Each structure stands twice: as structure tokens, then as C-alpha cells.
Amino acid sequence: MMRTRPLKVALLGCGVVGSEVARIMTTHADDLTQRIGAPVELAGVAVRRPSKVREGIDPELVTTDATALLKRGDIDIAIEVIGGIEPARALITTAFEHGISVVSANKALLAQDGAALHAAAEQHGLDLYYEAAVAGAIPLVRPMRESLAGDKINRVMGIVNGTTNFILDKMDSTGAGYQEALDEATALGYAEADPTADVEGYDAAAKAAILAGIAFHTRVRLDDVYREGMTEVSAADFASAKRMGCTIKLLAILERAADGESVTARVHPAMIPLSHPLASVREAYNAVFVEAEAAGRLMFYGPGAGGAPTASAVLGDLVAVARNKLAEATGPGESAYTQLPVSPMGDVVTRYHISLDVADKPGVLAQVATTFAEHGVSIDTVRQQGKDGEASLVVVTHRAPDAALSGTVEALRKLDTVRGVASIMRVEGE
């Protein structure tokens, strides 16, 4: 039976995503009512700048006092699209204290304080949903948290930042340098005026922490994620990658150890074979490759950012939370029963592509090979070319602990015959 009294929604934040959420709630109101079993009503919109014209939103709904909106006593669900740590954290906590379930798109907050927020939601018997915090419109959190709940996920590898993928794709397809590709991304609106969070991997690391917690049923915080940006990736790196039949992507990689006793979480640029599904992900799209014990390999692909795509994920959560409200139930909360430790990057086993500037004289290759051997790192291939007393040496290793590879690089820097380390990059996806 359809309930006639509406569920009232407070929208916290009305920027690019929030305005799209409000638009869809208005234009699809009848459909949402049928899907939920009751009307949903936008009962208030908390903003910082009330004088800004917001098309399609009744000015009477707009307020600068988000706390008062949550405390007024008639709000059922809050949608938080403010971003950042504060005031978002305080507002979500206030919502729980006043019996309000929360839908959030706040990856930074969830990566830092997800455990505390989940605990608060559970304490008050409420929902905390956040599909939009990872990979925009791509259904990923719910499939991992619910559809794969009976399976064992061993590895997640993905492109979870559209800005960096756009830049690297342009460098690969056009031969552009990093700055040129970044300028194009900025002009098209894919990159912020300050792109640090994207290009230095902070955004991807926050998403990696959230996904690792879901995949491995353990608590993984932002500080647990190894992070390396992509600002040093060059056209020469792409040329080397092409010679290997690879391309370069900024990847989030989450793995369960072979013995099942620990996990690792990392974000860094890596070469991947052109045959790998992630290699064909172009422009600002995202894709996540999940490897589960029973289900096998699964690929999730789609737009990872933008107002409408992200709003789609927010509205999907709104429908789920609203249905739970009507049923006087809650959906799945945090699952952290395994309490697995997060191993440091040094324990990760991977391959390296190392480009060295060396003296062009006899014995250099033998000296370099000896250095690798002394650190227990086996060489897969070597390519050398030289001219006028200078040469470049490209070494691709077999898989070895990252600590051993790092130690090898430090030792190489001390050799008299090595003029410099031109580039270092991991090789993944094989």
C-alpha cells in the first residue's frame, strides 16, 4: 500500500552534485514515489551562499544553518554532498543523533573516519550509504558489499580518478607532455584549478581505503594506503611502455596476501599490458577490476565523476535508504570482522621498469646486473643504447618485494657508472 505522507530529505550542499540531486528529485518525483512506496520531499537545502540563484529550487527551502535544519524534528534522510572533513563530520553526527539516516558522497571523510561514522549509525539504528563516494555513477560499493557478500575478494585493481586517466590517456594517444595534457584537462573542466588532490593520488587513495575495507572486511584508513602521484610520468615513459606492449595508468591496487593474514592498499602509476581490460579505459572514465574466489574476474566501468553521474549514485542510495525507513529496517553496515593488518609497501611483491642514464663503456651492464643480484632481484629483460659516451639502460625485473627493489635503486644511484635514474615505474596486470 502506498504511503501518502512524504519522507522528508535535507540536502546538505548544493554545488555541482547537490544541484543535480535536487533537479532529479524534482523531475523524477513520480517515479521515485513508485519505486520507494512513498513520496520523497526536498524539505531543506543547506548552503554557504544563499544569494546564489539555484534554478528549480524554491528559495524558501534554502538556509545557511545546516545544524538547525537537521534538528528541526521532521527530517528523515540527509544527503551530504559538502565534501571535506568539517563541517560534514559534525553534521552527519548530528543527523544520527536526531534519528536521520545519511547518504554521503564524501570519500575523504569516509576514508578517514568511516569506522566512527559506521559506529554512530549502528548505535542509533540508522543507515549510512555512500555509493557516490567511489567511482561516481558506477555501481560498485553495493555489489561488493551485498552481491559479493558470500564470496571472498582477493584483489581489486582499478582506475578511480577520471582527471588522471584523462591526462594519461592524452599523453599516450597524442604524445603530449604532462603539463600540456593537464592544461587541456583544466580547460575542459576535468581538472580543478588546484589539481593536487587528483594528480598526487590523494583522491584515489581515499577511494582505495574505502574499497579495501569493503573488499577485505577490515578497517583500512587513508593513512594505511601507499600513495604516489603521477606528475613525474613523462613522454619517454610512454615510449618505453609502448615498446613493452603496455600503457600507463594511475591505479588503485588492493590485495589480500597469499596466506590470507594481511592486506595491502596502494595507489601509484603503473605500466599495464595493452591486453588488460583496464588498458582500454579512455578519457575521464573509471573502471575497477575485481577478482573474487568464486565469481572470478568482474569489471565495473563507467563515468567516475561529474554532477549527473554522481547524482545518479546518490539517488540510488536515497531510494534504498527510503525503502529501509518504510520497512523500519537498516541495510548492511560496516563489516570489519577480519581485523587484518595492512602491510607496508615494502612487503608488496611487484615488477619494476627502471630506466638508467649510464656511461657508455664496457662493464657497465655487468656492474648493474651484479647490483640487482646482490639485492636478490632477478632481471627479466635489459635494453641498452648508447652514443658519444652516454647511454641509457632499461631494466625490467621479475617480481620481487618492493623493499628489495627500492634497495636496488638506492644502490644503483651510488655506482660511478650510473649518471642518474631517469624513471622508475611498477609493472602490473600480468
Side-chain angles (χ1 to χ4, degrees), residues 155-172:
R155 195 168 194 258
V156 179
M157 182 168 75
I159 299 163
V160 294
N161 182 276
T163 300
T164 55
N165 199 58
F166 180 88
I167 293 170
L168 292 172
D169 181 47
K170 289 302 174 184
M171 292 177 70
D172 185 26

Side-chain angles (χ1 to χ4, degrees), residues 127 290 418:
D127 277 325
V290 178
V418 175

Side-chain angles (χ1 to χ4, degrees), residues 19 45 60 90 107 134 197 289 293 305 309 316 335-336 352 368-369 419 424:
S19 60
V45 182
E60 294 296 319
K107 53 188 170 288
V134 181
F289 204 67
E293 200 164 88
S335 175
Y352 262 56
V368 168
R419 310 295 193 214
I424 309 168

Side-chain angles (χ1 to χ4, degrees), residues 123-161:
Q123 177 187 349
H124 295 284
L126 298 164
D127 277 325
L128 173 62
Y129 275 48
Y130 44 89
E131 184 68 67
V134 181
I138 304 172
L140 182 60
V141 171
R142 196 171 296 126
M144 288 178 60
R145 193 160 68 165
E146 298 179 29
S147 302
L148 296 173
D151 208 338
K152 181 180 180 181
I153 297 174
N154 291 316
R155 195 168 194 258
V156 179
M157 182 168 75
I159 299 163
V160 294
N161 182 276

Side-chain angles (χ1 to χ4, degrees), residues 383-394:
R383 187 178 71 254
Q384 183 176 12
Q385 58 186 30
K387 183 179 180 181
D388 299 329
E390 297 296 330
S392 64
L393 196 65
V394 177

Side-chain angles (χ1 to χ4, degrees), residues 65-85:
D65 195 339
T67 302
L69 173 61
L70 295 172
K71 288 183 176 181
R72 75 185 202 186
D74 64 339
I75 301 298
D76 297 291
I77 302 168
I79 297 175
E80 184 273 308
V81 286
I82 299 171
I85 306 302

Side-chain angles (χ1 to χ4, degrees), residues 123-379:
Q123 177 187 349
H124 295 284
L126 298 164
D127 277 325
L128 173 62
Y129 275 48
Y130 44 89
E131 184 68 67
V134 181
I138 304 172
L140 182 60
V141 171
R142 196 171 296 126
M144 288 178 60
R145 193 160 68 165
E146 298 179 29
S147 302
L148 296 173
D151 208 338
K152 181 180 180 181
I153 297 174
N154 291 316
R155 195 168 194 258
V156 179
M157 182 168 75
I159 299 163
V160 294
N161 182 276
T163 300
T164 55
N165 199 58
F166 180 88
I167 293 170
L168 292 172
D169 181 47
K170 289 302 174 184
M171 292 177 70
D172 185 26
S173 61
T174 69
Y178 166 76
Q179 189 60 50
E180 183 182 352
L182 173 59
D183 290 344
E184 183 177 354
T186 304
L188 292 172
Y190 291 126
E192 301 286 346
D194 179 1
T196 302
D198 294 323
V199 301
E200 294 294 351
Y202 291 101
D203 175 85
K207 295 169 182 176
I210 295 169
L211 291 176
I214 296 169
F216 306 131
H217 302 279
T218 196
R219 286 177 178 165
V220 179
R221 300 180 74 250
L222 181 58
D223 292 345
D224 296 322
V225 181
Y226 172 84
R227 178 196 54 79
E228 187 179 312
M230 49 157 278
T231 56
E232 299 301 318
V233 177
S234 67
D237 291 325
F238 273 101
S240 291
K242 286 182 179 179
R243 281 192 287 268
M244 291 177 58
C246 292
T247 189
I248 299 171
K249 300 291 186 182
L250 184 76
L251 298 177
I253 304 172
L254 323 168
E255 294 176 300
R256 188 190 300 270
D259 62 7
E261 297 301 314
S262 65
V263 298
T264 56
R266 51 195 166 108
V267 168
H268 55 72
M271 294 182 179
I272 58 171
L274 295 175
S275 58
H276 194 282
L278 292 177
S280 61
V281 178
R282 306 294 302 276
E283 299 284 334
Y285 276 73
N286 284 189
V288 178
F289 204 67
V290 178
E291 298 179 29
E293 200 164 88
R297 296 182 173 185
L298 308 171
M299 177 109 156
F300 299 84
Y301 170 85
T310 305
S312 170
V314 170
L315 269 295
D317 279 351
L318 174 63
V319 170
V321 171
R323 287 170 174 169
N324 290 343
K325 279 280 185 181
L326 294 179
E328 298 183 347
T330 56
E334 182 188 35
S335 175
Y337 70 92
T338 62
Q339 299 183 23
L340 296 173
V342 182
S343 297
M345 185 63 188
D347 292 348
V348 172
V349 176
T350 187
R351 298 178 68 203
Y352 262 56
H353 175 282
I354 303 170
S355 180
L356 305 171
D357 294 326
V358 300
D360 188 13
K361 60 182 183 181
V364 173
L365 180 56
Q367 191 178 31
V368 168
T370 298
T371 302
F372 276 90
E374 288 173 347
H375 288 80
V377 179
S378 175
I379 294 175

